[in-house]
Every structure is written in structure tokens, then in C-alpha cells.
Amino acid sequence: MDTVLLLPRLLVPVRPRLQVLEQMAVVLEGETIKAVLPRSEAIATYQDAGRIELPEHVLLPGFINMHTHSAMSLLRGYADDLNLQVWLNEHIWPIEKAFVGPDFVHDGTRLAIAEMLRGGTTFFNDLYFFPEVTAAAAVEAGIRACIGLPVIDVPTAWAGDENDYIDKGLRVSESWQNEPLLNTAFSPHAPYSVGDDALRRIAKMSTERDLRVHMHVLESGWEVDESIRQHGKPTLERLHDVGLLNERLLAVHMTQLNGTDLTALAGADVNVIHCPESNLKLGNGICEVGKLHDHGVNLALGTDSAASNNDLDLLAESRTAALLAKGYSADPCVMNAFQALEMLTINAAKALGMSNQLGSIEAGKLADLCAVRLDSLHTTPMYDVVSHLIYTVSSQQVSHVWVGGRMLIQDGGFLHLDVDEIIDKAKYWEQKITAQARAARSKEYNLHE
Amino acid sequence: MDTVLLLPRLLVPVRPRLQVLEQMAVVLEGETIKAVLPRSEAIATYQDAGRIELPEHVLLPGFINMHTHSAMSLLRGYADDLNLQVWLNEHIWPIEKAFVGPDFVHDGTRLAIAEMLRGGTTFFNDLYFFPEVTAAAAVEAGIRACIGLPVIDVPTAWAGDENDYIDKGLRVSESWQNEPLLNTAFSPHAPYSVGDDALRRIAKMSTERDLRVHMHVLESGWEVDESIRQHGKPTLERLHDVGLLNERLLAVHMTQLNGTDLTALAGADVNVIHCPESNLKLGNGICEVGKLHDHGVNLALGTDSAASNNDLDLLAESRTAALLAKGYSADPCVMNAFQALEMLTINAAKALGMSNQLGSIEAGKLADLCAVRLDSLHTTPMYDVVSHLIYTVSSQQVSHVWVGGRMLIQDGGFLHLDVDEIIDKAKYWEQKITAQARAARSKEYNLHE
């Protein structure tokens, strides 16, 4: 197996905590990190190894985006600044109904993956229709992913009723079970859009197969009322009753929490996936990450889709998360820069049940890494590299990316993806979607004449 | 005078409102915009003019950063995630006391100007000590600025008592009065740090000389109580009584507003300068821009200093402003993308009393412009360029910048500033400041032994 030494100016391994190391080497062998050593010792020990000098860079674990609908990157900026119901009913859902199929998912997912890799993201946790297409696109692009197996009580081009979704999802899960880059997770859409029987079936199988459950939970105030109306009990009580409130739950959004919820989440070891930019942009509420952290709840970060963000820039999301946590709690000590970095890396690995493989630069873990250049105007001067990573670094400064020891990006350029072709495909969809929207508007206009 | 045609893919002139134009030309003559014409007409009319093709770009008015302490860029990331009083008393003020002088201000301001220009900012409204040095650095770098004339009831290396500050400031104002790139403004630091007599003198002179008053107002809850304690009345009532509550006031921060305040501000035509990232990071409160907008108050944007932000990225600030306004008011319709763009441009020009010269691309205005490339992954596809500018464009995509018709940045590179030298100078200060901080810590340690 090839051995390669990465020789960065600075190393932030995330574990051990709070360390910023100089004059270190990270030794890659095959898909894993073989050792983390002083530079001189590594060079003496591995004399025949390849060397990658990163003299102006900090080396980090790759970032983990814990909530995406990748294919929706084709709807980036399609509709903004609208009420949630108008946004969904009049814009997003009609377009999805018209276009979502394997080609849409393939081309949109590739666009999303390219953007994520370029910004240092080496793992994404996705939830969308045609998950077998998302899975294939991820493997093809060499990125690691957890592929959500969607379940919703609405028929789509992909499946009919809830059991059909679950059965199709299981087949996807089984067909990819030997692919080292992929996991799968059950992805019931939301408490208001999946029934009790389906949730119970999912809970049972998630325990039997040790699969994560990736679900929108408590995204908006409307959902709180809807749970009482539909089911006569609050959302978290219902999730508990169907057997989903446990350490396998990746509860996304969670903007509507009361004091009891905090205790329940902490007691059940539920993972909360915070998506601050999407929550803000849709005016859905603000997740109280300061309180969750105080209760010991594991917190990770997601961008949500580019239709409600409008980018997949996880570093920028961590800045928003850190700033918002301080501002909302009126306490600048809440969520410091290192804690924000943990949300991007080790906390996400923990949420996925993969903290022995991912989320830090330690011997024996998978070599999913990124390097960031530090020699730009807005990272000068530098008193604290972790502060800079969260508060000033732009994702455009990510220079190198490795997934499973394979270098995918070098000096800001892709080694394996044809970006021009990905952009051309996205423009093709842009034209189709624009034409359809124009036709729909003119039809509506005619109806009103 | 040289005539140049700028030929962008898209033109967003900001005025008229909401326009996105294709196949247009902007004709520059000397320091001004001579005309905005259809491309073919411009080429036929100005056959001898130079042409700059911008085939993948959108052309915009230059951005206006309405609140900076530029020199403090040398303290970027020096101390984070701390309570305001600890941050100021134990970190920022001791370092300022030790280092702030003409050299610090010169080198820090140049670093700030380079970062701002690189991100499309063509005008900054500054407030710091040694304003004559800031002024010289701005002119030297070819950027437009309003130089604050600081007043504070604390003696510094620059001036002694409040009247000394005012007198020195007036001399700075007079010495630069014929420089076309510069304005000056009175800059009383804050209500709690400047006495009534000085404020009355400033109010009188600001009217006589038609100078703006650039002031931190209602930044934190502490300040609300302090006004009652020190002066027996709320801040805005006191500012009214000393004669400062008028259209020349640039009231920065304003995170602590009640219903009466909103009416008072609107009635007096006060301009509010919103600095969301600094307010969030310091946990000082959240400015209610949705309500201010509803009351018809003119709103512009500032980054504040890189010590509390930690960058001077005004485009990113506009994204934070738009997202936060929606999230905080739980209404996604509050502050749409075009309104955010207006805060960066025409609203700032209005606040400065310069809306006949700046803030939009219209014939007769000054040619302060920037171009943004649109051909990157995260701006694809594109349904609405204004949405992209606010919600996805990175300031690294700014490719060209003109101030007063002079091109300062072309294809992302500076034509006139030596960035390496600017970075080297900042590193020199980083070393000095780090050494001083280390010495201070070791002294403190010895004292405790």
C-alpha cells in the first residue's frame, strides 16, 4: 500500500481536544491514517513515502454535513423570501413533481457533491427520493455518505405508500451494504407526514439493523400544533411511544423546544442536527443550541438543501451557528470556536455512530481530511487558527481534500470531477425549469382572464 | 478624458429598483458614470472608447461599509468568545494602550482597505484614533472614505480631554476638505463616554458644517441602564435634548429599541447602521431591522472591526442581516434579497447625504463599481442574480473594482497595492502583539506565585 506523508504548517486534529500542533506529519497508508508523528520522526521513519508539503496550510478532519437534500441544488435560489407554505405549495413542490426523477437526482447530486468537496466536506448525510441514484453519484464522485431511505405518506415518482417506501429503501440499503464509502439510514420525512405504524416498523428495523433514523423534527411552530391535532400528544412523546427516541435518531432542526424536551433528548441520547441558515431563512424558529449543549445533547450541523440556504458551505454554516448561539442567548461565551469545529467533525461522527472511524485525525481512523490555506488578507494576522477557521476563513480557501486517503482536490482544483460538465448539466436543468415556470405562470394568467 | 465601456453579462443598477438588465453598457468618463445604454448603442456611439468585456459577470455599485474601526484589523481574532467587559478590559484596551499610534493605524488601515476592496467595498465609514493617518491611508490606496473625528472622555495617545479631541478633529477635517475621495464626520464614541457639553458642541458644529455624526448608540443593555444612572433619562431622549437626533446621525448598532424609540427615530430621520455579526458575536442583542424598516427608518450595514467580526466581508454581512431579520421576526418575507442589496449601496449613500453621487449605477454618479463572477459551482444554476448575490456569492468572487473610475482590482488581482507587503507588515504586528501578550501573562503569573 502507498504511504504518503502530509506535512502541514499547522495540524488541528480535533482529538485530543484544543490542540494546535506545529512541525507534525500525518502518515496516510491506503485509506487510513497510520500515524500522527513529529515531522522529523516521520521523515526518518518513512523514507520512501511520498511527501505533500503544505507550508501555508492547516490540516483538519474533513467536514461532515449532517443534513442535505443534495439533488435540490438544481433549485438553488429558485424561490426566496416567501412564507413556508407559499414556498412549498406554489414553488418547490410543483417543480419537484414535474422534474424529480433519476436524471434530476443524478445531476443535482453531482452539483452538490462538487460544491461540498470544494468546501472541505468529505461526508454528507442525505435525504431525498431515488436514494439509489444519490448512492451511485456519491460512490462515483469518491465522497463518503449516509444515504437516507425516504418514507412519506405521499406517493411520488419513487414509491407509493409508506410500506412501499420502506421496502424499496431496504432493497437500496441491502444493495449497497458492501460499499465502504456508504451507509444508509431510515429517513421518515417528518412526524406530520409519516403514520404511527410506519414509524414503529422503522424503529424496530433500525434497532435490528443498527441503522440511523434521519428525520425532520420540530422544524416549525405549526408542527407543534399539528402533533396535538393529529395524534393528541406532543411530537417527542409520540416519537418515544413509537420507539424512535434513542441514540440512533438524527433529529434535524429542533427549533421548538421546551424545558421538558431538553431533558428528554438528553436522557435518550438523541442527536440534534442544527441547520441555522435554513431555519433563519424560512423564519421557522431558532434552535437553542446553548441549552442543548448545557444538557449534554450531542450537536452536529447541516446546511439543509441549497433551495433554502442557498449554499452547501458548511464552514459558513458553523460561523452562523456560533454567532447565532451567542446572540440568541445574549452570551458571547456560548459555543466557542473549538466547539463549533467539533460540530463540523467529531460530533457528527458520534451522531453517525462512527466516532471510532471519523471526525478527528488519529491513528487508525479513515483518512478523510482537508487542508485550508492561511495566507490571505482576511486570515492575517493570526493569533488563533481555530478562531480563524470559524470566524473568517472562506470555504474558497480549502485547498486539498482527501476521502479514504484518496486526494480529490489539490490546490483548489478537482483531480477527478469535470466541473465544467457538472455546471453545464445544471444550466440545462435551469433552462428546463425556467421554461416550465414561465409556462405555468402564463397558464395561470390565461385562467384569470 | 478617457472613456471606457464596461460590458457585463448582467447589470444590477439598484436604481431604478429591482432591475436586472442584459446587453447593457456602462460608460465611464473620468471619475463619473457618463451613461447607461444598450450595449449596441454604446458601441456605436463611443467607437474610440476602451472596452472591458465582463461576459460571466454582474456589474454592481460598489459596496459601502458604514461602520469600521479599520486599524483594529491588526487585532483580528486576538480574543474571542468572551464577555464584553473581559474582552475590552483584559484584552483589547491593554493592547490598544500599548500599541496604538500612527504606525499601528497606518498598517492596520492598509490591511483593512485591501480586504475591503478585494470584497467589492469602495467606501468605508471609519471611527478610530489618529484619523489623519486613516485619511492618508485611504487616499494612498485610492478608496473613498468618511473619516470619523473621534471624541471620548478618556485621554489617549491622540488627544486629551473632549475639547482637545474636537479641536484636533476639526483640524483634520479642514486639512482634507479638498480631497475628493474623503469626507469627515464627528464621531463621539458613545452616549456613556461623551458628556453633554461635548455632545452639544458637536451637534451645533455638525449643523453649521453639514457633517455627519457617527456614533455607537444603544449597543448593549448595560448602556440603557447607564443612561438613566448617569443622566436621568433614556439615551434617545438625551440625544434629542443635545440636538443630535436628526438626519445627520449615523446611529450604529441600536440593538435595544422599544416602541417609542422606533417612532422617534423615524420622525427625526435618523439613519441606523446595523452590524449584525458583531452584535451576535459579542452577545449584545439583535437590532430589530424588520420593525425599523416598517417604520420607514433608513438602514445601512457595517461590519464593525475585525476584532469583533472577524472579517470585513460586507457581502457576507448582508447575508447574515437578511437571514437574521427573517429568523428573529419569524417571517421569511422580512428583508428580501433586493432590500439587503439596497442596505449595501443606496441606503448607505442616503445615510451619508450622498445619494446623488453614490449607491447606484446612474448617469452622473461617481464610478464606484464592482463586478462579481457568476460561473462557479455555488452560483449554479441561477434563477435570480440578486438572490445569489445575497444568499450564495462569496466575496472572493468579486473580480473587478473601480473607485472614481479608476480600476483598482482586475480579475481578482490588485493593480496598485502590494498585498505581500501589507501581509508582511501585519505579521510584524502579530509578532509584537503576541510577545507583549505573552510577557503580560508571565508577569501576571509571577504576581500570583
Side-chain angles (χ1 to χ4, degrees):
Chain A
M1 253 183 306
D2 277 358
T3 305
V4 178
L5 307 186
L6 308 186
L7 302 160
R9 174 177 165 204
L10 298 174
L11 173 66
V12 177
V14 177
R15 287 291 177 273
R17 295 191 81 231
L18 298 170
Q19 290 201 352
V20 178
L21 306 169
E22 295 182 70
Q23 297 289 330
M24 295 295 284
V26 175
V27 185
L28 308 189
E29 198 174 77
E31 65 173 11
T32 60
I33 297 164
K34 187 181 171 69
V36 181
L37 293 173
R39 178 188 169 98
S40 52
E41 193 183 327
I43 288 175
T45 311
Y46 301 95
Q47 294 190 1
D48 298 333
R51 289 184 201 169
I52 298 177
E53 293 282 356
L54 300 164
E56 298 286 355
H57 308 64
V58 56
L59 188 66
L60 300 159
F63 307 137
I64 301 177
N65 191 339
M66 285 298 288
H67 184 58
T68 59
H69 310 289
S70 294
M72 291 179 80
S73 284
L74 292 177
L75 303 179
R76 183 201 305 280
Y78 174 69
D80 300 291
D81 307 325
L82 297 166
N83 280 311
L84 183 63
Q85 293 311 314
V86 176
W87 183 71
L88 287 174
N89 292 318
E90 296 181 24
H91 299 273
I92 299 300
W93 287 342
I95 286 293
E96 286 193 324
K97 201 170 169 192
F99 292 108
V100 173
D103 290 347
F104 179 97
V105 173
H106 177 262
D107 295 343
T109 302
R110 277 173 64 82
L111 175 66
I113 290 171
E115 183 190 352
M116 287 192 280
L117 283 173
R118 184 63 192 78
T121 294
T122 53
F123 189 118
F124 68 108
N125 182 41
D126 203 70
L127 193 180
Y128 208 61
F129 306 107
F130 299 93
E132 69 280 14
V133 180
T134 311
V139 172
E140 187 188 304
I143 193 171
R144 215 177 289 282
C146 179
I147 304 297
L149 310 169
V151 183
I152 189 166
D153 65 1
V154 180
T156 59
W158 191 65
D161 66 11
E162 291 166 328
N163 281 319
D164 187 29
Y165 276 98
I166 295 174
D167 295 338
K168 285 213 166 93
L170 286 171
R171 287 201 290 279
V172 172
S173 181
E174 283 156 14
S175 72
W176 290 98
Q177 63 190 349
N178 296 319
E179 168 52 54
L181 287 172
L182 298 186
N183 302 325
T184 52
F186 289 108
S187 293
H189 172 260
Y192 56 84
S193 55
V194 185
D196 283 351
D197 290 345
L199 290 181
R200 274 196 211 93
R201 192 177 163 207
I202 288 168
K204 187 162 170 289
M205 287 190 307
S206 113
T207 311
E208 288 167 6
R209 302 180 181 222
D210 194 21
L211 293 180
R212 262 37 202 174
V213 177
H214 174 188
M215 187 175 192
H216 302 102
V217 185
L218 293 172
E219 182 172 6
S220 71
W222 172 84
E223 187 181 331
V224 175
D225 303 335
E226 195 64 13
S227 184
I228 304 291
R229 199 186 66 77
Q230 276 190 28
H231 305 284
K233 51 183 141 178
T235 298
L236 294 191
E237 186 183 329
R238 179 166 166 249
L239 293 184
H240 172 267
D241 293 350
V242 295
L244 281 176
L245 214 64
N246 57 46
E247 74 282 5
R248 284 180 299 282
L249 183 61
L250 310 174
V252 182
H253 298 310
M254 303 293 268
T255 69
Q256 313 288 325
L257 296 173
N258 60 36
T260 328
D261 294 340
L262 293 168
T263 323
L265 293 170
D269 290 328
V270 169
N271 304 283
V272 169
I273 312 304
H274 181 35
C275 302
E277 295 190 2
S278 174
N279 297 154
L280 290 172
K281 186 152 185 284
L282 295 170
N284 275 335
I286 295 175
C287 177
E288 301 219 45
V289 293
K291 288 187 187 167
L292 286 163
H293 182 265
D294 289 347
H295 280 74
V297 174
N298 185 42
L299 282 159
L301 269 184
T303 55
D304 209 342
S305 86
S308 65
N309 185 304
N310 294 348
D311 56 44
L312 306 180
D313 183 341
L314 205 57
L315 256 187
E317 197 80 25
S318 77
R319 178 171 316 138
T320 303
L323 294 179
L324 185 64
K326 297 168 200 300
Y328 193 58
S329 59
D331 180 354
C333 305
V334 169
M335 198 182 297
N336 63 38
F338 188 80
Q339 289 168 340
L341 181 60
E342 288 182 309
M343 297 210 330
L344 294 179
T345 53
I346 191 71
N347 291 10
K350 208 179 298 176
L352 291 161
M354 299 179 77
S355 58
N356 59 340
Q357 295 171 273
L358 295 175
S360 61
I361 302 183
E362 295 177 278
K365 285 201 172 183
L366 289 164
D368 291 8
L369 307 164
C370 68
V372 174
R373 285 195 76 105
L374 298 168
D375 54 349
S376 71
L377 283 164
H378 60 282
T379 38
T380 306
M382 187 172 73
Y383 302 98
D384 174 353
V385 68
V386 177
S387 160
H388 273 12
L389 285 166
I390 303 303
Y391 298 123
T392 88
V393 162
S394 148
S395 66
Q396 304 291 306
Q397 286 169 261
V398 172
S399 62
H400 295 65
V401 176
W402 295 261
V403 176
R406 179 182 172 202
M407 185 158 63
L408 301 180
I409 293 182
Q410 183 177 32
D411 292 322
F414 284 92
L415 296 175
H416 69 314
L417 292 182
D418 182 345
V419 173
D420 290 341
E421 185 250 327
I422 289 171
I423 289 180
D424 283 348
K425 273 278 167 59
K427 284 184 179 167
Y428 158 83
W429 286 101
E430 175 191 315
Q431 283 166 12
K432 274 182 78 145
I433 291 167
T434 304
Q436 161 91 6
R438 207 173 284 139
R441 268 197 300 276
S442 96
K443 193 169 158 198
E444 203 176 302
Y445 180 75
N446 289 334
L447 284 173
H448 286 81
E449 272 186 326
Chain B
M1 256 184 305
D2 277 1
T3 305
V4 178
L5 307 186
L6 307 186
L7 301 160
R9 174 176 166 205
L10 297 174
L11 173 66
V12 177
V14 177
R15 288 291 178 275
R17 295 191 82 232
L18 299 171
Q19 292 202 351
V20 178
L21 305 170
E22 294 181 70
Q23 297 290 329
M24 294 294 284
V26 175
V27 186
L28 308 190
E29 196 174 76
E31 64 174 11
T32 60
I33 297 164
K34 188 181 169 70
V36 181
L37 292 173
R39 179 188 168 98
S40 52
E41 194 183 327
I43 289 175
T45 310
Y46 301 95
Q47 295 190 359
D48 299 332
R51 289 183 203 170
I52 298 177
E53 293 282 355
L54 300 164
E56 297 287 354
H57 308 65
V58 55
L59 189 66
L60 300 159
F63 307 137
I64 302 177
N65 191 339
M66 284 299 287
H67 184 57
T68 59
H69 310 290
S70 294
M72 292 180 80
S73 283
L74 292 177
L75 302 179
R76 184 201 306 278
Y78 175 68
D80 299 290
D81 306 326
L82 297 166
N83 280 311
L84 184 62
Q85 294 310 312
V86 175
W87 183 71
L88 287 173
N89 291 318
E90 296 180 24
H91 299 271
I92 298 301
W93 288 342
I95 286 294
E96 287 194 323
K97 202 172 166 190
F99 291 109
V100 173
D103 290 347
F104 179 97
V105 173
H106 178 262
D107 295 343
T109 302
R110 276 171 67 80
L111 175 66
I113 289 171
E115 184 190 351
M116 287 192 280
L117 283 172
R118 185 62 193 79
T121 293
T122 53
F123 189 117
F124 68 108
N125 182 41
D126 203 68
L127 195 180
Y128 207 60
F129 306 106
F130 300 92
E132 69 280 13
V133 179
T134 311
V139 172
E140 189 187 303
I143 194 170
R144 215 177 289 282
C146 178
I147 304 297
L149 310 169
V151 183
I152 190 167
D153 64 2
V154 180
T156 59
W158 190 66
D161 66 10
E162 290 165 329
N163 280 318
D164 187 29
Y165 276 99
I166 295 176
D167 295 337
K168 283 210 168 95
L170 286 171
R171 287 202 291 279
V172 172
S173 180
E174 283 157 15
S175 72
W176 290 98
Q177 66 190 346
N178 295 320
E179 169 53 54
L181 287 172
L182 298 186
N183 301 326
T184 51
F186 289 107
S187 293
H189 172 262
Y192 56 84
S193 56
V194 185
D196 283 351
D197 291 346
L199 291 180
R200 271 194 213 95
R201 194 177 160 203
I202 289 167
K204 187 163 170 288
M205 286 190 308
S206 111
T207 311
E208 288 169 6
R209 300 180 182 221
D210 195 21
L211 293 181
R212 260 42 199 170
V213 177
H214 174 189
M215 188 175 191
H216 302 102
V217 185
L218 294 172
E219 182 172 7
S220 71
W222 172 83
E223 188 183 329
V224 174
D225 303 334
E226 195 63 11
S227 185
I228 305 291
R229 199 186 65 78
Q230 277 189 26
H231 305 283
K233 51 183 143 180
T235 299
L236 293 190
E237 186 183 329
R238 180 167 164 248
L239 293 183
H240 172 266
D241 292 350
V242 296
L244 281 175
L245 215 65
N246 57 47
E247 75 283 5
R248 285 179 300 281
L249 184 60
L250 312 173
V252 182
H253 297 311
M254 303 294 267
T255 69
Q256 312 287 325
L257 296 172
N258 61 37
T260 327
D261 294 339
L262 294 168
T263 323
L265 293 170
D269 290 329
V270 170
N271 304 283
V272 170
I273 312 304
H274 181 34
C275 302
E277 296 191 1
S278 174
N279 297 154
L280 290 171
K281 185 151 185 285
L282 295 171
N284 274 335
I286 294 174
C287 177
E288 302 219 45
V289 292
K291 288 189 188 167
L292 286 164
H293 182 265
D294 289 347
H295 279 75
V297 175
N298 185 43
L299 281 160
L301 269 185
T303 56
D304 210 342
S305 86
S308 65
N309 185 306
N310 296 343
D311 57 41
L312 306 180
D313 183 339
L314 205 58
L315 257 186
E317 197 80 26
S318 77
R319 176 172 318 139
T320 303
L323 295 179
L324 185 63
K326 297 170 200 302
Y328 193 57
S329 59
D331 180 354
C333 305
V334 169
M335 199 183 295
N336 64 37
F338 188 79
Q339 290 168 340
L341 182 59
E342 289 183 307
M343 296 213 326
L344 293 178
T345 53
I346 192 71
N347 290 11
K350 207 181 297 176
L352 291 161
M354 298 177 77
S355 58
N356 58 341
Q357 294 171 273
L358 294 175
S360 62
I361 301 182
E362 295 178 278
K365 285 201 173 184
L366 290 163
D368 292 7
L369 306 163
C370 68
V372 174
R373 285 194 76 105
L374 298 167
D375 55 349
S376 70
L377 283 163
H378 60 283
T379 38
T380 306
M382 187 170 77
Y383 301 98
D384 175 353
V385 68
V386 177
S387 160
H388 272 13
L389 285 167
I390 303 304
Y391 298 122
T392 88
V393 162
S394 148
S395 65
Q396 305 291 305
Q397 285 169 261
V398 172
S399 63
H400 295 66
V401 176
W402 295 261
V403 176
R406 179 182 172 201
M407 185 159 61
L408 301 180
I409 293 181
Q410 183 177 31
D411 292 321
F414 284 93
L415 297 176
H416 70 314
L417 292 181
D418 181 344
V419 173
D420 291 339
E421 186 251 327
I422 289 171
I423 289 180
D424 284 347
K425 274 280 167 57
K427 285 184 178 167
Y428 157 82
W429 286 101
E430 175 191 316
Q431 283 166 12
K432 274 182 77 145
I433 290 166
T434 304
Q436 160 91 6
R438 209 173 281 140
R441 267 198 300 275
S442 95
K443 195 168 156 197
E444 203 176 304
Y445 181 73
N446 288 335
L447 284 174
H448 286 82
E449 273 188 326

